[in-house]
Amino acid sequence: MRASRSFSSARGLAGALLVASLALAGCSAAGGDSNAGGKSMADGPARQTGAAGGGASDARAGKRQVPRITASAIVRTASLTVQVKDVPKALDEARTSAEDAGGFVGDETTTRDARGQERTRVVLRVPTAKYDEVMASLQGAGKLLERDAKAEDVTDQVVDVESRIKSQRASVARVRELMDRAEKLSDVVALEGELSTRESDLEALLAQQSSLKDRTSLATITLSLSATPPAHRAAKDDGPGFLDALSGGWGAFLATLRWITVVVGAVLPFAALAAVLAFVWLRLVRPRLRERRAGATPPRSED
C-alpha cells in the first residue's frame, strides 16, 4: 500500500512538473522572439507561472527582456596591399602603429619568391575608434596597390542576443528555485536534467555575445606588404651617363682579356710542341741532311 501511494504521489508530482516545464518553455520561447513582441508574449507565461507561485518576480523579469542600446554595433574589416622599398622596416612600422593605437598583431606570414623578393602578410586588430587613423598610416607606408574595406551593422544581433541571455538567465533561476523546493529524489533528477540543458543554452548565448563584442570593439585589418621590383626602381633613372658608359667599357675590356687568356691557355700546349719540333729540325735534323747531301755529291773534274 505504501509503495502504491508513493507511486501515485510521484505520478502526480511528475504531472505538475510537466505543466510547469511547459510554462517555463513558453517563457523561454517568448524571450527569443522579436523585440517588438517579446515583452507582451513574455508577460503571459509570467502570469501563468505566478499562478503556481512567484508570479510577481517572473513578471518583473519579463519586463526587462529588451535591453537599451544607444550606439550602433559595427563590424569593420579591411584588406590592404602596399608596395614598399623595405618590407621589414614597413612591417615594424605597422606593428608600432597597431600597438600605439591599443591593438595587437595577429597572424603573420613571410615568404620569398623566385627572384628573392620578400612578401609579408600580417593581421592587425585595432580598436574601432582608431580604425581610420591606423588605415591612413598603413596606406602611407608605400604605394597602395589594393584596398578593400567593409562595415557590417550587427546591432540587431547584439540586441537579440542580450535579450535572449536575460530570458535564459531568468529561466535558469526559476528551475533552480524549483530544485530548492523539490522533496523527492526523482523530482531533483528531472530538474537537474532541465537545468543542465538550459545552462548549456545560456553558455552558447554568452559565447555568441563575446564573439560579437570582440568583432565590434576591434577592427580587423589584413596588410600585405611586397617589395618594389628592381626593374621599377631602375625605370626611375633618366638614362645611362658617362660613369655608366665607362663602367660598361671596362667590363667589356675585362671580358675580352678573359677570352684572350682562355684562347692562349688552350693553344699554349700545341705551340710548345711546335716550338720543340722546330728546334729539333733546325738544330739537329737539317744540318745532318746538308752534310749527307754534300758527301754524296761527286766532285767536278777540271778540263
Side-chain angles (χ1 to χ4, degrees), residues 60-267:
R60 288 193 299 269
K63 292 180 181 180
R64 295 193 299 269
Q65 295 300 317
V66 181
R68 296 178 181 179
I69 295 183
T70 57
S72 298
I74 306 296
V75 177
R76 295 187 179 274
T77 57
S79 61
L80 297 175
T81 302
V82 183
Q83 195 175 74
V84 297
K85 294 181 180 180
D86 190 347
V87 173
K89 181 180 178 182
L91 179 60
D92 291 339
E93 292 176 352
R95 290 173 178 168
T96 303
S97 179
E99 293 173 356
D100 290 345
F104 61 92
V105 179
D107 298 336
E108 179 181 333
T109 304
T110 300
T111 59
R112 289 184 181 273
D113 58 14
R115 296 177 300 177
Q117 299 298 317
E118 188 174 356
R119 297 177 182 272
T120 297
R121 180 181 178 275
V122 62
V123 178
L124 306 176
R125 301 297 307 278
V126 298
T128 306
K130 299 288 186 178
Y131 170 78
D132 294 331
E133 179 181 344
V134 175
M135 284 285 288
S137 175
L138 297 177
Q139 292 176 179
K143 181 181 179 181
L144 180 62
L145 300 181
E146 184 178 356
R147 181 181 186 272
D148 184 16
K150 297 180 181 179
E152 181 184 0
D153 189 351
V154 294
T155 305
D156 293 340
Q157 297 182 31
V158 173
V159 172
D160 179 67
V161 170
E162 291 192 1
S163 176
R164 292 169 62 187
I165 287 176
K166 289 187 177 182
S167 298
Q168 196 67 19
R169 281 175 173 168
S171 177
V172 170
R174 287 193 293 271
V175 175
R176 287 177 176 173
E177 184 179 354
L178 290 175
M179 288 184 62
D180 293 339
R181 289 185 290 178
E183 298 180 356
K184 302 292 185 178
L185 179 60
S186 57
D187 300 339
V188 174
V189 172
L191 289 172
E192 282 182 347
E194 184 66 23
L195 179 62
S196 177
T197 300
R198 300 194 179 197
E199 287 181 340
S200 178
D201 295 340
L202 178 59
E203 291 177 359
L205 290 172
L206 291 174
Q208 187 176 354
Q209 184 188 47
S210 177
S211 176
L212 286 171
K213 183 178 180 181
D214 176 73
R215 293 167 57 198
T216 54
S217 60
L218 293 175
T220 303
I221 303 175
T222 303
L223 176 63
S224 298
L225 298 172
S226 60
T228 303
H232 290 183
R233 290 195 292 264
K236 297 180 180 179
D237 298 336
D238 296 335
F242 174 76
L243 294 179
D244 295 331
L246 182 61
S247 176
W250 178 253
F253 175 72
L254 292 179
T256 303
L257 288 180
R258 189 179 303 111
W259 280 109
I260 291 175
T261 304
V262 172
V263 172
V264 171
V267 175

Side-chain angles (χ1 to χ4, degrees), residues 279-297:
F279 178 81
V280 171
W281 172 262
L282 295 175
R283 296 296 182 180
L284 299 177
V285 178
R286 189 174 179 181
R288 291 183 180 181
L289 290 176
R290 288 179 179 179
E291 291 176 358
R292 288 180 182 179
R293 289 176 183 178
T297 303

Side-chain angles (χ1 to χ4, degrees), residues 10-26:
R11 290 182 58 186
L13 183 56
L17 289 175
L18 178 60
V19 174
S21 299
L22 292 175
L24 293 175

